[in-house]
Amino acid sequence: MGRLKFLKSKRKILAEGFRDGIPIGLGYLAVSFSLGIAAKNAGLSAFQSFLASLFCNASAGEYSGFTVIAANATYVEMFIVTLVANARYLLMSCALSQRMAEGTKLIHRIVLGFYITDELFGITISRKGFVDPYYTYGAILFAGPCWAVGTALGTIAGNLLPLRIVSALSVALYGMFLAIVVPPSRQNKKLLGIVVCSFALSLACAYLPLVSTLTEGTRIIILTVVISTVAAILFPVKDKEVAEDES
């Protein structure tokens, strides 16, 4: 009886994740079209681009990878470029690990770490209490295939679409990400202040001397480390608060 109740609970959480993953997946389907174009320009087939997106869930990382492939770069160069472009996911993994219950199995930690994207991280970390892997699994069930299929479709038909249409479709993903960030920010003034500072610092770093010469991925890493460290020092989250959210 206890196991049946457990399965019903996980099924409900899985369904919630699947529901929340639908808008993300639709956004991925549109955005990954442009990735498919880059893959085709790099000489990849539709099946190869499908596998690339299936095993590398990162737009910036894949763009970087396709670019160096097109430039006939070495495997070492490709490794370094992809590592730097995706390094921010290491930080997201660390943040998620701090929100997991102590008894969470290693396999759940590995799968969540593998499937972290900006959007999936956003909806997972914004839930109250400890992170439940089944919620993220539900979102991945819809969003993951959309990302891979969209890339393959972009490789097949992306070059047939006007560039302006592809660019317009990309805006949907940014709008969706704002929809994830804005609601919790309206309920928490400290979080709102951190978000506003993040936007301002990101804009400033794009124009400041020296800093602006760094790649976008490197700037994101530096800003993420600095802002999250300062926020953790100024506004530490106590274990008691997490337990209250869980209840």
Side-chain angles (χ1 to χ4, degrees), residues 2-246:
R3 182 170 179 76
L4 182 60
K5 185 177 180 181
F6 173 81
L7 292 176
K8 285 184 177 179
S9 172
K10 294 304 178 186
R11 187 187 305 167
K12 178 176 180 294
I13 295 173
L14 192 75
E16 291 176 359
F18 187 87
R19 178 200 62 198
D20 294 345
I22 290 176
I24 294 177
L26 295 177
Y28 281 176
L29 194 64
V31 173
S32 57
F33 249 77
S34 56
L35 264 181
I37 296 173
K40 184 174 183 177
N41 292 336
L44 272 67
S45 67
F47 180 65
Q48 289 170 331
S49 63
F50 174 83
L51 291 180
S53 284
L54 190 64
F55 293 111
C56 183
N57 309 291
S59 57
E62 288 187 59
Y63 265 124
S64 302
F66 294 150
T67 301
V68 294
I69 288 175
N72 292 321
T74 65
Y75 288 117
V76 174
E77 290 174 321
M78 189 186 307
F79 170 78
I80 294 175
V81 167
T82 308
L83 179 65
V84 171
N86 292 336
R88 67 183 186 279
Y89 296 121
L90 297 175
L91 304 175
M92 294 182 187
S93 297
C94 292
L96 271 186
S97 69
Q98 300 303 307
R99 288 284 306 278
M100 289 182 173
E102 188 175 349
T104 303
K105 294 182 178 179
L106 179 61
I107 185 63
H108 291 309
R109 295 177 182 272
I110 292 175
V111 173
L112 286 189
F114 173 75
Y115 265 105
I116 280 183
T117 67
D118 296 338
E119 296 73 27
L120 294 177
F121 172 80
I123 63 172
T124 302
I125 204 73
S126 63
R127 284 173 65 89
K128 294 182 178 180
F130 292 116
V131 169
D132 191 320
Y134 288 89
Y135 173 77
T136 313
Y137 294 163
I140 292 171
L141 282 176
F142 189 88
C146 285
W147 182 254
V149 171
T151 307
L153 292 177
T155 304
I156 296 171
N159 284 338
L160 301 178
L161 296 174
L163 186 59
R164 290 183 178 180
I165 293 180
V166 176
S167 179
L169 291 173
S170 302
V171 176
L173 193 65
Y174 296 103
M176 178 195 63
F177 196 65
L178 285 175
I180 294 173
V181 175
V182 170
S185 299
R186 294 177 63 183
Q187 300 174 2
N188 189 323
K189 292 183 179 179
K190 295 176 183 177
L191 182 60
L192 176 62
I194 294 170
V195 171
V196 172
C197 288
S198 300
F199 286 157
L201 288 174
S202 180
L203 179 63
C205 287
Y207 294 98
L208 286 175
L210 298 180
V211 180
S212 61
T213 60
L214 300 174
T215 64
E216 184 178 356
T218 303
R219 291 203 302 268
I220 290 175
I221 293 170
I222 295 174
L223 284 174
T224 303
V225 172
V226 172
I227 294 173
S228 59
T229 301
V230 172
I233 294 173
L234 295 179
F235 313 110
V237 179
K238 300 178 181 179
D239 293 339
K240 182 180 179 181
E241 295 178 13
V242 176
E244 289 176 351
D245 289 341
E246 178 70 10

